[in-house]
Amino acid sequence: LVREVDAMDGLCGRMADLGGVQFRILNRSKGPAVHGPRAQVDRVIYKRNMLQTLQTYAGLDIKAGSVADILLDRSTELDEQALKRLASQDSTLATSSATVVGVRLESGEIIRARKVVITTGTFLGGEIHIGLKAFPSGRKGEAASIGLSKSLKDAGFRLGRMKTGTPPRLDGLTIDYSRMPKQLGDMPVSSFSFIHDSVPHANDQVVCYQTHTTPAVHDMIRANFDQSIHIRETIRGPRYCPSLESKVKRFSEKESHLIWLEPEGLPEHTSTVYPNGISNTMPEDIQQKFLRMIPGLENVVMTQPGYGVEYDHVDPRELKRTLETKRVTGLYMAGQINGTTGYEEAAAQGLLAGANAGLAAVHSKAECESQEAPQLTLDRSDGYLGVLIDDLITRGVNEPYRVFTARSEYRLSSRANNADLRLTRRAAALGLVRDSARLARLDTVEADMAHAQA
């Protein structure tokens, strides 16, 4: 997905290359159709480069503020009963009953707009869970978006709840790595962006380490299931990256689960380590205790506890292929609000929704309604973003959705290494790719391939 975003001139692949501190190709022993590029990225470098790029991006103005309400123009005023009938309408049959005209901030300021894209992540009605404690938030230390949930309900959208989680953060200086197997980055490095031949930190990649849970850890988790309100089956969490509690519950026969200790950046920027594989919502004191039962973590200091997040999402069957909503003309949605999970899925949807909102904004209402205005729509055969959109709008979601190679029947042709050949010219025809160097590079690749096939 990141390669597809990059092929259409999105930023995240380039930023990952500039801030990447370890690069690997997953499934390298198998065929290229299932090769998965992966990068660990220094948070300090990524945020600095991304912010600098956005602040100097031509034609882009950034305004910070919390959106409390979506402003709609309805052809007729609807009473409460009419709104209830609207909300009960089948998601797949929903039709537009209003047009977006802007947003209202919590400060009271109104921003007028013909098109609006909502990318609320886990903040929409977000609630953090640590043990038996629950409080409104979308991420530790940041406020949830409560007013926007009500605004969407008032517009007729039916909201569901999903959950996800994050592991505790550890002080790497208190970890004993001496007994742990190392995991090194690949050399040579495979960059994410098609315009990069190399990356700045190829020769000083960080080392990751492997450890594992123990039967004692599992016993402690089982003994304290009643200490977490996050463990309930009524709200679905991600099946493919489950919490430690879920793994202990579902795989009771297993005596250990792998943990990858991943530095969050270069040593000069941070000593924080991300223990991939032990996302959990246990009380803080229990987290600290079971962490010290893990080999190599006997003296570890926990700098932040793990926690769970519950959040609102809409039924993605309410969306068109452009990610415009069927209920509200001019309103687009991308990311977790559509029932997906993962940064990459969110980035890909953001590009598609943003591109279509922009394309529609510069064309007349008549052109958009007659579908004469250009649109960025992708089929399953076009790539993984096409698979993602098709799955969302036709099947809906009953758990947080992630993309896998197994979801695509076209995976032999939709490889990570040919996203530029599939998508760059298509995006350029819509005005999304304006970098002449990128197009010239693609010309060279296509010419070399033609020569090799001659």
Side-chain angles (χ1 to χ4, degrees):
L1 284 174
V2 173
R3 287 269 177 89
E4 291 183 355
V5 168
D6 179 76
M8 293 184 281
D9 213 26
L11 287 175
C12 60
R14 276 177 276 168
M15 298 298 110
D17 286 347
L18 296 177
V21 292
Q22 194 192 78
F23 294 82
R24 289 175 61 83
I25 297 290
L26 305 183
N27 301 321
R28 188 183 282 278
S29 63
K30 300 177 182 178
V34 293
H35 285 180
R38 183 181 189 273
Q40 278 174 235
V41 181
D42 185 298
R43 293 167 60 87
V44 173
I45 300 174
Y46 187 94
K47 288 197 285 188
R48 183 181 64 214
N49 287 337
M50 182 64 87
L51 186 60
Q52 182 180 12
T53 303
L54 293 177
Q55 288 175 334
T56 57
Y57 206 91
L60 177 65
D61 294 317
I62 300 175
K63 186 175 184 64
S66 184
V67 175
D69 197 8
I70 305 165
L71 303 180
L72 303 179
D73 177 29
R74 297 188 186 276
S75 53
T76 56
E77 281 300 316
L78 300 177
D79 59 23
E80 192 171 334
Q81 290 302 315
L83 285 171
K84 286 182 179 178
R85 286 196 300 273
L86 191 66
S88 65
Q89 197 176 41
D90 188 300
S91 301
T92 58
L93 303 174
T95 55
S96 179
S97 61
T99 300
V100 73
V101 293
V103 297
R104 180 175 57 80
L105 305 186
E106 285 186 351
S107 65
E109 181 182 355
I110 289 175
I111 300 174
R112 298 288 176 183
R114 289 179 56 197
K115 309 295 171 186
V116 173
V117 186
I118 301 180
T119 58
T120 45
T122 58
F123 287 78
L124 191 66
E127 184 178 82
I128 279 184
H129 297 158
I130 303 176
L132 298 176
K133 296 186 294 185
F135 50 91
S137 183
R139 182 167 52 223
K140 197 78 183 291
E142 298 186 50
S145 176
I146 305 300
L148 196 53
S149 280
K150 182 180 182 304
S151 183
L152 290 171
K153 286 178 185 175
D154 291 345
F157 292 98
R158 282 184 291 177
L159 301 182
R161 296 286 279 178
M162 283 190 178
K163 64 183 180 182
T164 187
T166 191
R169 301 305 194 269
L170 312 178
D171 181 353
L173 301 177
T174 62
I175 296 174
D176 177 9
Y177 296 107
S178 61
R179 292 171 290 152
M180 300 182 192
K182 293 181 179 180
Q183 184 182 66
L184 305 175
D186 290 344
M187 283 297 285
V189 164
S190 295
S191 61
F192 264 105
S193 178
F194 290 99
I195 65 171
H196 291 159
D197 292 318
S198 61
V199 299
H201 301 287
N203 296 318
D204 58 343
Q205 295 185 64
V206 300
V207 179
C208 296
Y209 293 86
Q210 177 189 310
T211 185
H212 55 85
T213 59
T214 63
V217 172
H218 298 185
D219 289 343
M220 176 165 277
I221 296 294
R222 287 191 196 97
N224 289 281
F225 276 150
D226 62 337
Q227 295 299 305
S228 174
I229 59 174
H230 199 70
I231 308 171
R232 50 187 175 182
E233 298 303 322
T234 52
I235 295 175
R236 302 294 293 271
R239 192 195 330 174
Y240 300 100
C241 45
S243 66
L244 181 56
E245 299 98 320
S246 296
K247 287 192 274 194
V248 169
K249 213 171 192 179
R250 286 165 48 190
F251 308 107
S252 57
E253 74 284 357
K254 296 199 68 161
E255 293 190 349
S256 69
H257 295 282
L258 285 180
I259 303 168
W260 295 102
L261 300 179
E262 304 171 347
E264 287 202 347
L266 296 171
E268 56 264 36
H269 291 152
T270 183
S271 63
T272 300
V273 168
Y274 182 100
N276 196 338
I278 53 171
S279 165
N280 78 97
T281 61
M282 286 283 134
E284 295 180 41
D285 60 327
I286 294 173
Q287 291 191 44
Q288 182 67 75
K289 287 177 185 176
F290 82 64
L291 282 170
R292 292 188 172 182
M293 298 175 178
I294 293 169
L297 306 185
E298 291 84 357
N299 299 302
V300 75
V301 172
M302 180 175 71
T303 58
Q304 176 184 295
Y307 59 87
V309 186
E310 276 187 16
Y311 56 93
D312 288 337
H313 73 95
V314 302
D315 184 340
R317 292 174 297 178
E318 302 230 10
L319 304 171
K320 303 175 185 177
R321 286 195 176 274
T322 58
L323 294 184
E324 183 181 22
T325 66
K326 296 174 183 177
R327 291 188 189 272
V328 178
T329 300
L331 182 65
Y332 298 74
M333 296 181 178
Q336 282 91 336
I337 192 172
N338 293 339
T340 63
T341 186
Y343 301 117
E344 301 82 4
E345 284 82 354
Q349 291 172 74
L351 183 143
L352 188 129
N356 284 315
L359 289 164
V362 297
H363 288 83
S364 69
K365 184 178 179 180
E367 286 178 309
C368 293
E369 289 177 348
S370 66
Q371 298 189 338
E372 292 178 5
Q375 296 176 331
L376 176 61
T377 56
L378 300 176
D379 294 325
R380 300 181 72 89
S381 59
D382 294 321
Y384 284 97
L385 179 49
V387 171
L388 173 119
I389 301 299
D390 187 65
D391 282 349
L392 290 179
I393 68 174
T394 58
R395 301 178 185 179
V397 292
N398 58 14
E399 63 184 7
Y401 177 98
R402 291 221 76 166
V403 166
F404 299 99
T405 52
R407 292 196 190 272
S408 175
E409 59 273 45
Y410 297 96
R411 56 187 172 274
L412 291 179
S413 55
S414 296
R415 302 187 307 275
N417 63 3
N418 68 4
D420 55 340
L421 295 169
R422 291 184 279 115
L423 298 171
T424 297
R425 294 210 185 279
R426 189 164 177 173
L430 294 171
L432 301 180
V433 180
R434 298 180 180 177
D435 182 357
S436 58
R438 180 185 289 273
L439 294 172
R441 193 181 184 94
L442 181 59
D443 288 338
T444 302
V445 170
E446 289 176 334
D448 289 346
M449 289 180 66
H451 178 72
Q453 292 168 354

